Amino acid sequence: MSLKGELKSGVIINFITIYSSIAIKLVIWGVLARLLTPEQFGIVAVVSVFTAFFELMSNMGVGPAVIQNRDLTDGDNSSIFNFTFILGLIFAYGFYEFSYVIAKFYQNEEYIRIGKYLSVSVFFHSLSIVPMSLIRKKREFKKAGAIGVSSDLIIGAITIALAYRGMGYFVLVWKAILGSLYIFLFSFFLSDLKFKMHFDISPIKKIAGFSFYQFMFNLLNYFSKNLDNILIGKYIGVIPLGYYDKAYKLMLYSIQNMTRVITPVLLPILSNYQDKKELLYQSHLKLSKLLAIIGMPLSIFLFFNANEIIFILFGDQWGNSIPVFKILALTVWIQIILSSSGSIFQSTGRTDLLFLKGIVSAIFMIGGILYGVINKSLILVAYGWLASYIATFVFCYWLMFKKIFSRELKEFFITLKNPLLTAAFVFIPLFLLSTYASFYNLYISFALKTLGSAIGFFIGIYFTKEKKFLINLLLKK
């Protein structure tokens, strides 16, 4: 099968499985948002930031390295799994002890109890790294999707049941624990991992160079993308953090439902073509154009529908999340396009460049976050995010085109011209409806804006003549 055929097949499978879970997740978060307060979400959001850090530490960049390296044997994979088991124990215990530091920093003893429970989630997350990577490496996207969808459904139902029993914010803790356990158990049995009770350091050496730079990039990426939660919770307050976290996660959710269809497919498939730079270049240009055609209009749509989306999904108590969400929505198209860039650095073995990109990106993002926190403004934090993503976007593609493809950056930006024009056609009806029309029913307002966006989008792809590109890319083999 050709590169295009393999990508299309994987994307279709991912599309079906991921969008099957959208309704499940929307229902779950909609119910929980009405049962829990912004303060309760904010409390767990604080600890979740540090949980993500310890999960990242236990990963050590192993997952992408296992997928990218084509020379690993069953014995190698078993030794690497044993390595992640040891790391899981170390970092789970480390997080258990670190919960006291969190409690002291935020002056809230409840964080100790939450942290001790979430250490279990850290352990099982580490154990699932190799099994899930092997499933993706073999391009068994149906299995990976089935694990994710079934986990959303079953663990989500349990979480709602616990919330109705009055467990408060602790249901979010149980959601994390049960979710990590579920994913480990099913990924282990479905991956055909040949587990052996021995440990050999040589497989670790095989992936050390790749995984080191991958890990360092992940580490920088973590701090730059989670510093906002840490500082907002400390210096602005837990309740504002609850509003901010809800806006940020809703923005991220709109991105993930798009990128999770494509990005899990890229590295396992592109790694097989790592020596064919011209093929990778042409494929990435087409993929970037596709993501821009989707992402740019989506950003406009989310910006003008912020009120309707927040109030319909989460209820009236989350109104303070709307201004933040509108600004963050403008980063959606950038993040969607950027989501495919990492696979190019990884598949060509240039995680050193990925690390460099992470350093520059972290500088931009930390600066933007600090600007907002110093002024104690969630709005300025969001504007800081927007500015930093624009700067990161330009640097990332300059680095990729110069160092990997040996091309001029203007070739990339030329591909974005028609997607930008398409977004302009979506902007016009939404601007007119938002400025000159008044709706007393949120559902009617949302429906009309959605219709206006759809009409604008189709006019846009006809006007820019991108209809043929989409048909050829999505329908023809």
Side-chain angles (χ1 to χ4, degrees):
M1 187 182 292
S2 66
L3 172 58
K4 178 180 175 182
E6 287 190 77
L7 286 173
K8 185 181 295 186
S9 175
V11 166
I12 290 173
I13 293 171
N14 265 17
F15 179 87
I16 294 171
T17 55
I18 289 172
Y19 278 86
S20 294
S21 71
I22 288 180
I24 298 171
K25 287 183 176 180
L26 287 177
V27 170
I28 291 169
W29 285 110
V31 172
L32 292 178
R34 286 165 172 79
L35 295 175
L36 305 178
T37 66
E39 181 179 11
Q40 290 173 320
F41 272 98
I43 289 173
V44 178
V46 166
V47 187
S48 296
V49 170
F50 297 102
T51 308
F53 171 71
F54 278 82
E55 289 176 351
L56 171 65
M57 293 294 291
S58 67
N59 188 312
M60 289 289 185
V62 168
V66 169
I67 295 175
Q68 194 269 349
N69 194 304
R70 294 178 289 183
D71 299 324
L72 296 177
T73 64
D74 289 342
D76 292 338
N77 292 328
S78 178
S79 291
I80 295 171
F81 174 76
N82 292 339
F83 177 65
T84 61
F85 179 88
I86 296 170
L87 288 178
L89 288 176
I90 293 172
F91 287 107
Y93 179 74
F95 186 71
Y96 179 92
E97 294 296 333
F98 189 72
S99 61
Y100 290 93
V101 178
I102 300 173
K104 185 176 181 180
F105 183 74
Y106 289 101
Q107 298 182 342
N108 188 340
E109 294 295 315
E110 190 63 17
Y111 289 134
I112 297 175
R113 179 170 172 246
I114 297 172
K116 288 180 177 180
Y117 275 89
L118 284 178
S119 64
V120 178
S121 175
V122 172
F123 175 67
F124 284 115
H125 172 81
S126 181
L127 291 187
S128 67
I129 292 168
V130 173
M132 284 301 297
S133 297
L134 290 176
I135 290 173
R136 294 191 176 104
K137 184 174 186 175
K138 292 184 287 187
R139 301 191 288 278
E140 294 178 334
F141 303 117
K142 289 181 182 179
K143 287 184 180 180
I147 293 171
V149 172
S150 59
S151 175
D152 290 335
L153 180 61
I154 296 172
I155 305 304
I158 293 173
T159 303
I160 290 175
L162 293 175
Y164 272 111
R165 293 179 66 87
M167 288 191 65
Y169 66 81
F170 219 76
V171 301
L172 301 176
V173 177
W174 278 110
K175 186 176 185 296
I177 295 172
L178 295 175
S180 63
L181 173 60
Y182 183 97
I183 290 173
F184 162 65
L185 291 176
F186 279 87
S187 64
F188 182 83
F189 287 111
L190 292 175
S191 67
D192 297 324
L193 178 65
K194 310 299 182 184
F195 175 69
K196 297 178 181 179
M197 291 293 294
H198 78 284
F199 180 73
D200 182 4
I201 195 66
S202 58
I204 309 301
K205 294 179 179 179
K206 286 184 180 181
I207 64 173
F210 182 101
S211 61
F212 172 76
Y213 285 113
Q214 179 69 52
F215 168 69
M216 293 303 295
F217 167 75
N218 290 344
L219 192 62
L220 284 170
N221 199 43
Y222 163 82
F223 276 112
S224 61
K225 290 190 175 182
N226 287 280
L227 186 65
D228 50 354
N229 279 5
I230 296 172
L231 296 181
I232 290 171
K234 174 66 176 177
Y235 296 107
I236 301 181
V238 173
I239 294 177
L241 174 59
Y243 289 118
Y244 177 85
D245 185 62
K246 183 62 67 179
Y248 182 84
K249 285 184 176 176
L250 183 60
M251 176 275 297
L252 198 62
Y253 183 67
S254 65
I255 295 169
Q256 288 175 338
N257 285 328
M258 175 63 59
T259 60
R260 283 172 59 200
V261 172
I262 298 173
T263 51
V265 176
L266 293 178
L267 179 57
I269 293 175
L270 294 182
S271 293
N272 292 327
Y273 301 87
Q274 55 190 263
D275 299 322
K276 300 178 180 179
K277 296 289 181 65
E278 183 61 27
L279 179 60
L280 291 179
Y281 168 74
Q282 295 296 338
S283 298
H284 189 66
L285 273 187
K286 292 178 182 178
L287 178 60
S288 297
K289 180 190 279 192
L290 173 64
L291 294 177
I293 289 174
I294 297 170
M296 288 181 174
L298 178 60
S299 279
I300 301 298
F301 175 82
L302 294 173
F303 178 87
F304 283 103
N305 281 281
N307 288 48
E308 290 83 353
I309 292 171
I310 295 287
F311 286 136
I312 290 174
L313 288 180
F314 305 125
D316 295 340
Q317 66 172 328
W318 294 96
N320 289 340
S321 297
I322 293 173
V324 177
F325 178 72
K326 293 182 74 171
I327 300 168
L328 293 178
L330 299 178
T331 71
V332 165
W333 70 273
I334 300 175
Q335 295 191 63
I336 286 177
I337 299 174
L338 276 174
S339 68
S340 67
S341 65
S343 297
I344 296 296
F345 292 111
Q346 292 169 330
S347 63
T348 55
R350 297 304 306 270
T351 49
D352 56 331
L353 294 180
L354 187 63
F355 175 49
L356 175 60
K357 175 245 178 181
I359 293 175
V360 175
S361 175
I363 293 172
F364 291 143
M365 292 184 179
I366 291 172
I369 292 168
L370 288 176
Y371 174 71
V373 171
I374 289 172
N375 289 281
K376 294 186 180 297
S377 169
L378 297 182
I379 300 296
L380 292 181
V381 172
Y383 275 120
W385 268 110
L386 177 59
S388 65
Y389 265 114
I390 293 172
T392 296
F393 181 75
V394 174
F395 178 77
C396 172
Y397 280 94
W398 172 83
L399 187 65
M400 181 193 298
F401 273 60
K402 181 177 179 62
K403 298 295 184 180
I404 294 180
F405 295 135
S406 300
R407 301 273 187 157
E408 294 294 327
L409 184 58
K410 65 181 181 181
E411 295 180 32
F412 174 71
F413 284 109
I414 288 173
T415 66
L416 302 182
K417 182 183 69 172
N418 285 345
L420 185 60
L421 287 174
T422 302
F425 280 97
V426 174
F427 172 86
I428 294 171
L430 288 176
F431 175 77
L432 294 175
L433 286 170
S434 299
T435 305
Y436 299 107
S438 179
F439 304 98
Y440 296 98
N441 186 290
L442 288 172
Y443 293 93
I444 293 176
S445 175
F446 182 73
L448 290 176
K449 288 181 179 180
T450 301
L451 178 61
S453 300
I455 293 172
F457 178 80
F458 286 112
I459 292 175
I461 61 173
Y462 270 96
F463 179 81
T464 59
K465 300 180 181 179
E466 294 296 346
K467 175 189 172 185
K468 184 178 180 180
F469 165 76
L470 292 176
I471 292 175
N472 180 61
L473 191 65
L474 299 176
L475 300 181
K476 291 185 180 180
K477 296 185 179 181

